[in-house]
């Protein structure tokens, strides 16, 4: 908005925890001195520099927005800076200012400085246009904070009477009028112009850039440390202030087609900023006041709705009220934070209290300018953010230094604790190693028992069954053959697990086991038929080979012991990337889901898990099928 819309940045504080003592006080004092020097150095702040004594200034109202020449009559003497709101209340339109002076004949050049005009205009000297803003009708060019300087020389500047004509297009609610105009030595006017531009534009741009950087920094900080909600609220309020303070340098009300809508947006941003600042201060102090926070949010919401729903003729009054509400909210929050920091020595807000005080002073000044208690057009709140940034930097530096000291003191304790932890860890690892060794031995014993059960156990069962069927007809050679089969089964264990040369062809291991199993089943009246394909060159690790042999042995042993079958079909085949095993008999079957299954079925399931294979059991009277599908490594 025009200058009166620029509320003090009383709430623009930086959130950091740390306790600063003498360094904080020194920096606060230096920062205060900087602000005072800045105020004293500004030409617009000194009443004695508002106008050149030799100028005669008159003003007259135009007849319409598109006037190209002033009226001939009705000129009124005025003093600069001039705001026509009191002289012509409620007037929106064009006012012409005529400035005349006598130029000495010996002076060949002069510098002309126009501090500002509010809010758009055209300047001509002796009938020649020397400056014209882009838009002199709504949406007006927002030139209210733009100083202008011209170097005047003949023939534009002539000896004797010179006339400077300024056409100002403005809106009454925004202090429409003309600022100080000075004529003098070019070097002096150039110097004054540079100071004006520094205060009105360059420092404002720098403040916005700093605000943007700070917003990004604290947003990233909050993102990495979500529990530090004060940083998140500080990032939010920094963004809101960035948008609000952009009014200082905006030259167009875009994207709106009216300065009234721009003003409603700007005041809405101030209201939301004041609530965000309240939340930041509360979180920074480690406090939560739900009722106060809710009430502040409701007031801000009511203000925003009122600003956007109010009719345009009365919008200026609504905006003035809500601007005061937002500005005073920030000042009150600042004051309460200072009191809280004074009473609570351990509060983190104590570290930034001096900088909040400086910001409060500049904020109060700007609020008085807004209400026209102070006759000025310069606002310092945005520039005071530099002081707050210094406070933030010092707070962070002190916090970092304190952390470094804690780390340095902690190193010795940490080394001692690490050495103690190493000793404890070594003892724990020794115990764990002994426990793992015991578990390994137990596992080996369990595996040995399982292998003996599935191999020698099966052979013994078969041999006992043969002896029970015809003990009187068993000759010495047959008994010797039984013992040799037992020996061969033991050799299978040794051959499968005791070799050091890695993988071994599955077909090579299957031949003796197939021969022995077939003889044993035939001796007990069971016809055993084998179908083997694709495994002649298939090599597997010793552990897998032994588990596969034991799986087949256990399946055939179950047929011999429990099935009472007359025929069994065994299939071992390689099908693509998997190995398929199948044992099918025509016996009486069993209950597949029986929870009381014997050691044989448990062994089959255990070996299938170790092989990483799928086990399928199907059984009904007259047909039982045990199938295994094992994926092969690529």
């Amino acid at each position: 908005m025009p200058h009166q819309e620029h509320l003090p940045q009383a709430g623009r504080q930086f959130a950091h925890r740390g306790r600063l003592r003498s360094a904080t006080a020194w920096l606060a004092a230096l920062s205060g001195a900087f602000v005072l020097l800045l105020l004293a150095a500004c030409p617009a702040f000194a009443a004695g520099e508002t106008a050149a004594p030799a100028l005669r200034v008159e003003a007259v109202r135009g007849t319409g927005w598109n006037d190209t020449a002033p009226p001939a009559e009705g000129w009124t003497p005025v003093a600069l800076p001039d705001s026509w709101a009191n002289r012509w209340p409620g007037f929106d339109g064009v006012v012409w200012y005529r400035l005349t002076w006598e130029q000495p004949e010996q002076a060949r050049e002069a510098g002309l400085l126009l501090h500002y005009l509010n809010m758009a205009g055209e300047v001509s000297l002796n009938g020649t246009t020397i400056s014209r803003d882009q838009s002199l009708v709504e949406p007006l060019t927002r030139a209210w904070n733009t100083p202008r300087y011209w170097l005047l020389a003949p023939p534009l500047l002539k000896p004797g009477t010179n006339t400077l004509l300024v056409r100002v297009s403005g809106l009454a609610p925004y202090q429409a009028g003309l600022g100080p105009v000075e004529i003098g030595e070019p070097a002096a006017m150039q110097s004054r112009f540079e100071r004006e531009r520094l205060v009105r534009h360059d420092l404002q741009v720098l403040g916005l850039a700093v605000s943007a950087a700070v917003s990004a920094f604290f947003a990233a900080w909050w993102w990495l440390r979500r529990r530090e909600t004060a940083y998140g609220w500080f990032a939010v309020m920094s963004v809101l202030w960035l948008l609000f303070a952009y009014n200082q340098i905006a030259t167009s009300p875009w994207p709106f087609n009216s300065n009234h809508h721009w003003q409603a947006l700007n005041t809405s941003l101030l209201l939301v900023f004041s609530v965000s600042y309240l939340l930041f201060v509360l979180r920074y102090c480690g406090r939560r006041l739900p009722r106060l926070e809710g009430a502040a949010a409701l007031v801000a919401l009511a203000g925003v709705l009122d600003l956007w729903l109010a009719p345009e003729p009365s919008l200026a009054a609504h905006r003035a009220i809500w601007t005061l509400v937002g500005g005073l909210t920030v000042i009150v929050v600042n004051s309460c934070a200072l009191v809280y920091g004074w009473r609570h020595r351990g509060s983190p807000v104590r570290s930034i209290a001096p900088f909040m005080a400086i910001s409060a002073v500049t904020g109060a000044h700007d609020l008085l300018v807004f209400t026209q208690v102070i006759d000025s057009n310069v606002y310092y709140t945005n520039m005071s953010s530099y002081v707050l940034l210094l406070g933030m930097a010092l707070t962070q530096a002190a916090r970092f230094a304190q952390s470094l000291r804690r780390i340095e003191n902690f190193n010795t304790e940490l080394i001692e604790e690490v050495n103690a932890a190493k000793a404890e860890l070594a003892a724990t690892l020794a115990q764990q190693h002994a426990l793992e060794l015991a578990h390994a031995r137990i596992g080996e014993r369990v595996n040995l028992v399982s292998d003996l059960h599935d191999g020698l156990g099966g052979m013994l069962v078969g041999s006992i069954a043969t002896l029970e069927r015809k003990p009187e007809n068993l000759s010495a050679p047959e008994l010797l053959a039984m013992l040799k089969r037992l020996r061969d089964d033991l050799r299978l264990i040794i051959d499968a697990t005791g070799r050091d040369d890695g993988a071994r062809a599955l077909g090579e291991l299957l031949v003796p086991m197939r021969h022995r199993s077939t003889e044993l089943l035939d001796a007990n009246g069971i016809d055993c038929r084998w179908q083997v394909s694709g495994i002649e060159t298939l090599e597997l690790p010793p552990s897998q080979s032994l588990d596969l042999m034991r799986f087949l042995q256990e399946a055939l042993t179950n047929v011999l012991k429990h099935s009472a079958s007359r025929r069994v079909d065994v299939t071992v085949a390689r099908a693509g990337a998997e190995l398929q095993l199948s044992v099918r008999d025509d016996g009486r079957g069993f209950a597949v889901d029986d929870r009381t299954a014997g050691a044989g079925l448990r062994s089959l399931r255990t070996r299938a898990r170790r092989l990483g294979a799928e086990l399928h059991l199907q059984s009904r009277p007259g047909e039982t099928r045990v199938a295994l599908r094992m994926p092969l490594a690529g």
Side-chain angles (χ1 to χ4, degrees), residues 30 60 87 104 109 150 174 176 222 281 286 296 329 372 388 391 396 427 458 488 548 550 613-614 625:
L30 291 175
V60 64
R87 186 182 310 107
E109 291 184 341
W150 299 274
Y174 312 136
W222 171 79
V281 172
T329 298
Q372 301 185 36
L388 297 172
Q396 284 293 84
D488 293 340
L548 286 171
R550 290 305 184 220
E614 296 181 9
R625 183 172 180 269

Side-chain angles (χ1 to χ4, degrees), residues 242-283:
L242 173 65
L243 298 175
F244 174 75
Y246 175 69
N247 179 73
Q248 294 278 349
I249 62 171
T251 58
S252 168
W254 185 90
F256 304 108
N257 59 1
S258 165
N259 277 278
H260 294 302
H261 294 133
W262 174 276
Q263 151 189 319
L265 172 64
N266 210 42
T267 308
S268 299
L269 289 171
L270 176 62
L271 288 172
V272 180
F273 165 80
S274 65
V275 176
S276 300
Y277 180 67
L278 169 64
L279 291 171
F280 154 68
V281 172
L282 288 175
R283 298 299 180 269

